[in-house]
Amino acid sequence: MSGMCSERVVVVTGAGRGLGRAHALAFAAEGARVVVNDLGVGPDGAGSAAGPAQQVVEEIRALGGQAVADGGDIATTSGAASVVATALDAFGRLDTLVNNAGFLRDRMLVNLEEDDWDAVIRVHLKGHFLPLKHAAAHWRAEDRAGRTPRARVINTSSGAGLLGSVGQGNYAAAKAGIVGLTLVAAAELGRYGVQVNAIAPAARTRMTERIFAGSMAAPGEGAFDGMAPENVSPLVVWLGSTACAGVTGRVFEAEAGRITVMEGWRPGPTADAGTRRTPSEAGAAALGLLAGSEPPGAVYGAR
């Protein structure tokens, strides 16, 4: 390995399994010291266990790396503060935050309970905001003390948040919100030496196995496993390093060997009448503009 993240201290939330585990191991392989944050909950957020986080820590240590476990609930103020404190206490600094933790409670909108909405918005969206807030406060203080950081944040969105996904209204809304949060954070925190980007990964994890049942199975021995979580991690490691200087406020799709720069909302066809329209005139103008516009991407699961 190149040692791209040598001496950097990296926090990865939801790092006990799946994508988070792959990211933690990849950062460690590039020389980073890693805080492995995970509550050890089930795929729907139920329960908790310290085992998954500690197991990843032991994997990293067995390979000669440095890591500590953190069991803070990053969707609470105290838990988010604790994961930053864990990095500072264990390693004396914080350079990169990877917001990754999450779970699913999928339902069609008419069957989606308020508790399932609140739980998914809480873990994904609030669980991105609070660690970001506490890490940013630390980096701002460092900058004001004359120690401008070269800090990095990688947020985890989803194709569901970019295009929508049938049966995942809560998850899609949260992941779309993460993109908005990423853009704002990149604009606000650049003055303190912080770059903020997002990824929209596709990989085989506990969260996706029910959605893509049968289409994401591991290949035969020796074949390239396109849906392995480890395929996403190289981009995350690069975004978490100093090698990506100047890259901020961007969203990348990552799947197998493919990386795509996603281009979000921007003005398309427009028409200005110079005065107030009637409803019929507004409708005619809208239809004319739609005829000359790019059609939206298909919503996942739509027929």
Side-chain angles (χ1 to χ4, degrees):
M1 293 295 182
S2 66
M4 178 179 286
C5 292
S6 179
E7 301 305 315
R8 289 181 72 79
V9 174
V10 179
V11 166
V12 183
T13 71
R17 302 180 178 92
L19 282 165
R21 171 183 173 274
H23 300 339
L25 289 167
F27 272 109
E30 291 292 341
R33 294 166 286 175
V34 184
V35 177
V36 179
N37 168 266
D38 203 286
L39 282 177
V41 301
D44 63 351
S48 64
Q54 190 58 43
Q55 183 175 342
V56 175
V57 168
E58 296 305 326
E59 288 185 76
I60 290 172
R61 290 176 178 172
L63 294 171
Q66 298 182 61
V68 294
D70 177 85
D73 180 353
I74 44 79
T76 67
T77 295
S78 60
S82 79
V83 75
V84 173
T86 296
L88 299 177
D89 292 344
F91 302 121
R93 59 186 296 137
L94 173 61
D95 300 289
T96 298
L97 169 65
V98 181
N99 283 315
N100 168 79
F103 55 74
L104 296 176
R105 293 190 184 178
D106 293 350
R107 299 284 190 281
M108 296 299 241
L109 286 173
V110 295
N111 297 319
L112 186 61
E113 298 292 340
E114 185 176 353
D115 287 348
D116 293 330
W117 173 274
D118 289 345
V120 169
I121 296 294
R122 175 185 181 274
V123 69
H124 288 280
L125 192 50
K126 191 175 181 181
H128 271 61
F129 159 64
L130 286 174
L132 175 56
K133 171 184 170 66
H134 287 279
H138 165 69
W139 289 322
R140 182 180 64 175
E142 288 291 286
D143 178 68
R144 289 178 172 176
R147 298 184 295 269
T148 300
R150 291 190 290 176
R152 306 288 185 261
V153 178
I154 302 93
N155 291 330
T156 306
S157 183
S158 168
L162 303 176
L163 295 174
S165 180
V166 171
Q168 293 190 301
N170 50 0
Y171 178 73
K175 290 304 191 182
I178 287 167
V179 172
L181 177 64
T182 298
L183 301 180
V184 172
E188 291 185 357
L189 303 180
R191 72 193 71 178
Y192 307 124
V194 184
Q195 294 180 190
V196 187
N197 294 285
I199 60 164
R204 184 181 56 256
T205 68
R206 291 191 308 163
M207 282 178 54
T208 58
E209 62 185 2
R210 290 179 297 140
I211 302 168
F212 301 105
S215 64
M216 300 180 77
E221 185 176 352
F224 173 57
D225 185 356
M227 299 312 298
E230 290 78 9
N231 298 328
V232 176
S233 299
L235 175 62
V236 175
V237 170
W238 181 75
L239 288 171
S241 74
T242 58
C244 74
V247 178
T248 193
R250 306 307 293 262
V251 180
F252 299 85
E253 270 198 344
E255 175 185 349
R258 179 175 59 84
I259 296 172
T260 304
V261 176
M262 302 303 289
E263 297 181 339
W265 294 107
R266 61 188 62 202
T270 186
D272 184 356
T275 188
R276 182 183 303 156
R277 292 183 170 97
T278 67
S280 294
E281 290 169 341
L287 288 173
L289 294 173
L290 288 169
S293 68
E294 290 291 326
V299 173
Y300 291 107
R303 296 181 179 180

